[in-house]
Amino acid sequence: MPTFTIVHLEYLSWAALWTIGLSAIAFLGGGLLGFAMALARISPNRWVRNAAAVYIQIIQGTPLLILLFLIYFGVAILGFNRVPAILAAGVGLTIYASGFLAEIWRGCIESVPKTQWEAAECLAMTRWQRMTRVILPQAVKIATPSTVGFMVQIVKNTSLASVVGFIELSQAGKVINNSIFEPFKIFVIVAIFYFAICFPLSTWSRSLERKLNVGRR
Amino acid sequence: MSAVVSLTNVHKRFGAVKVLNGVSFEVGRGEVAAVIGQSGSGKSTALRCINALERIEEGTIEVCGHAVHDPKLDRRALRRDVGIVFQSYNLFPHLTAEQNIMLAPMCVKSLSKADARTLAQDVLARVGLAEKADHYPEQLSGGQQQRVAIARSLAMQPKLMLFDEVTSALDPQLTGEVLKVMEDLARGGMTMILVTHEMSFARKVATKVVYMHRGTVWETGPGAMLDDPQTPELRKFVGGEM
């Protein structure tokens, strides 16, 4: 009976890098798209606002698993034979993250008091200047804890990417278990890997909060 | 005297509540107009209408040559001419006093950073806070924050300054330091409209008093009018204040 060896640990380490990579893709892509959606949600134009709201509702109302299936098989129906797993997983998680980040960030932007908009408006600043110079710097501070909290969610949700054939941390754990049948040991180690990825994020969030607090307790 | 501000028959409602019910008054260049009245008389709303922060339903408002009632109003052009100071200061909390002041001149008037800093130093000195340039709003007292807010408006070199109950959130001592800054401004020839509860200040500094009651201008006249009210409402109001 084979047992857990350094080779398995190496395999898990590679898989952990894929988990980190996929998380980074999801966060960067989802962040860009989500930020655009957050701005669209508070646009002065009603149509833009409503379109963004519909997009967010659809994404938030769809399980990530289904979203991944839809992209993986949907693109195949469109005529592309094999979608690379990394592409399907990356696009799926990006869309998923955008729907949630948009709503988190919209809330943060709107929680900056209306009087701040008014003060900037009365100084003849344009809407763009008000947003970038007055509102966003304050919203970033409010958004930090919830954004990092969601980043941790993304890291853990990458485990669903295994359904489209993507080998990340938990899929690698399953693969190893299929050969050596030591589920408890293997998945404790997998869990430690996840913790090692997520814990620094939370620590980083706290230090960011402190840094953003400079000059205002 | 050419009117810098003139309101004619201004009507404004919030839902079913009529807040302004045909308000008319004029303020000339270099005048200091004190708008007084009970809470709910519409005085703050009238002030906000002058700066297009509220839309009006009826009537006309002309401010420094801008037709504020016109739906096609260029708001940014209006706001370059009109400064406003709020009861709650509304300084930008993530910027120092100096940065608060530098922001708009750099954004709106494309001043260089160095020029904006010189300007900020200049207006901060005018409100007696030159040494507080590097302080964040939270490190300043209410009175100091309000003086920074006044300096921030001044830096845009407005032709008209609006003050919306700027001392209502301050204790008497801090109120004094803010009023002194406003008195200096008035003496320097700034056209000012202030909504205020400070009767002694209105009496001393205002060239014109506008007493509002139930959404209309009930009585108007020079500062001395407060010592000789013509209507029973103003008599009661002034009596209650003293």
Side-chain angles (χ1 to χ4, degrees), chain B residues 20-96:
Chain B
L20 299 183
N21 211 343
V23 171
S24 307
F25 65 85
E26 280 194 352
V27 179
R29 193 170 306 286
E31 265 199 302
V32 177
V35 183
I36 59 169
Q38 271 109 350
S39 302
S41 58
K43 55 193 191 306
S44 273
T45 306
L47 196 76
R48 290 171 62 84
C49 289
I50 291 172
N51 203 14
L53 280 170
E54 307 286 353
R55 211 182 284 260
I56 63 171
E57 275 104 42
E58 207 186 312
T60 61
I61 302 179
E62 302 273 348
V63 178
C64 305
H66 304 278
V68 179
H69 54 275
D70 185 345
K72 291 198 294 280
L73 166 74
D74 180 352
R75 282 158 193 265
R76 291 190 61 218
L78 171 72
R79 267 85 182 246
R80 285 179 71 134
D81 289 340
V82 182
I84 184 165
V85 184
F86 302 93
Q87 180 180 345
S88 50
Y89 334 131
N90 300 351
L91 292 177
F92 306 132
H94 60 296
L95 300 177
T96 62

Side-chain angles (χ1 to χ4, degrees), chain B residues 126 175-185 187 201:
Chain B
R126 276 172 77 183
T175 296
E177 67 189 43
V178 173
L179 292 182
K180 191 188 165 297
V181 167
M182 290 165 65
E183 199 179 333
D184 290 346
L185 271 182
R187 210 167 282 138
F201 183 75

Side-chain angles (χ1 to χ4, degrees), chain A residues 27-215:
Chain A
F27 188 75
L28 289 178
L32 286 174
L33 192 55
F35 183 63
M37 283 297 157
L39 292 184
R41 259 314 251 111
I42 54 171
S43 156
N45 183 317
R46 192 156 54 95
W47 296 104
V48 174
R49 227 164 40 228
N50 289 346
V54 168
Y55 172 84
I56 290 165
Q57 283 304 316
I58 290 175
I59 302 305
Q60 293 203 351
T62 313
L64 176 57
L65 195 59
I66 305 300
L67 200 61
L68 289 169
F69 276 139
L70 281 177
I71 289 163
Y72 191 58
F73 296 115
V75 176
I77 290 168
L78 287 180
F80 299 93
N81 242 350
R82 286 210 48 81
V83 188
I86 176 81
L87 189 70
V91 171
L93 279 159
T94 290
I95 292 174
Y96 165 79
S98 73
F100 284 89
L101 285 174
E103 215 46 6
I104 293 173
W105 289 344
R106 177 192 62 84
C108 293
I109 291 170
E110 285 185 340
S111 69
V112 176
K114 211 174 136 257
T115 49
Q116 291 284 311
W117 282 101
E118 228 168 48
E121 193 186 331
C122 288
L123 288 166
M125 291 164 74
T126 63
R127 188 178 159 81
W128 179 250
Q129 288 167 342
R130 279 176 253 157
M131 184 60 105
T132 54
R133 308 299 296 273
V134 175
I135 304 302
L136 285 181
Q138 297 182 59
V140 164
K141 186 178 120 68
I142 304 169
T144 304
S146 46
T147 303
V148 176
F150 186 71
M151 272 170 92
V152 171
Q153 294 290 324
I154 290 179
V155 171
K156 291 185 287 187
N157 277 334
T158 53
S159 61
L160 288 173
S162 58
V163 299
V164 294
F166 190 82
I167 301 194
E168 40 61 66
L169 203 41
S170 46
Q171 180 68 8
K174 264 184 257 171
V175 169
I176 296 173
N177 187 45
N178 285 344
S179 72
I180 64 172
F181 307 111
E182 286 185 278
F184 188 72
K185 192 193 267 175
I186 292 166
F187 285 108
V188 164
I189 294 170
V190 166
I192 291 171
F193 266 101
Y194 274 113
F195 182 80
I197 298 170
C198 296
F199 182 70
L201 282 179
S202 314
T203 315
W204 179 55
S205 160
R206 271 193 295 279
S207 80
L208 259 185
E209 275 176 69
R210 264 197 304 276
K211 221 188 291 174
L212 291 168
N213 259 326
V214 173

Side-chain angles (χ1 to χ4, degrees), chain B residues 89-190:
Chain B
Y89 334 131
N90 300 351
L91 292 177
F92 306 132
H94 60 296
L95 300 177
T96 62
E98 188 179 67
Q99 290 166 338
N100 259 281
I101 297 167
M102 291 162 66
L103 183 60
M106 284 166 69
C107 283
V108 179
K109 298 190 166 174
S110 310
L111 249 62
S112 73
K113 198 163 190 174
D115 288 348
R117 178 160 290 137
T118 312
L119 176 65
Q121 289 297 345
D122 176 47
V123 288
L124 275 175
R126 276 172 77 183
V127 300
L129 287 174
E131 78 287 4
K132 299 288 185 188
D134 294 329
H135 286 57
Y136 284 89
E138 287 193 350
Q139 300 166 322
L140 300 172
S141 74
Q144 290 169 336
Q145 288 190 51
Q146 195 58 291
R147 282 146 69 195
V148 173
I150 293 173
R152 183 173 70 175
S153 271
L154 280 179
M156 292 296 285
Q157 287 148 331
K159 295 177 185 150
L160 165 72
M161 288 275 282
L162 308 175
F163 296 86
D164 188 4
E165 297 193 32
V166 291
T167 59
S168 298
L170 303 173
D171 65 39
Q173 194 193 341
L174 299 183
T175 296
E177 67 189 43
V178 173
L179 292 182
K180 191 188 165 297
V181 167
M182 290 165 65
E183 199 179 333
D184 290 346
L185 271 182
R187 210 167 282 138
M190 176 66 77

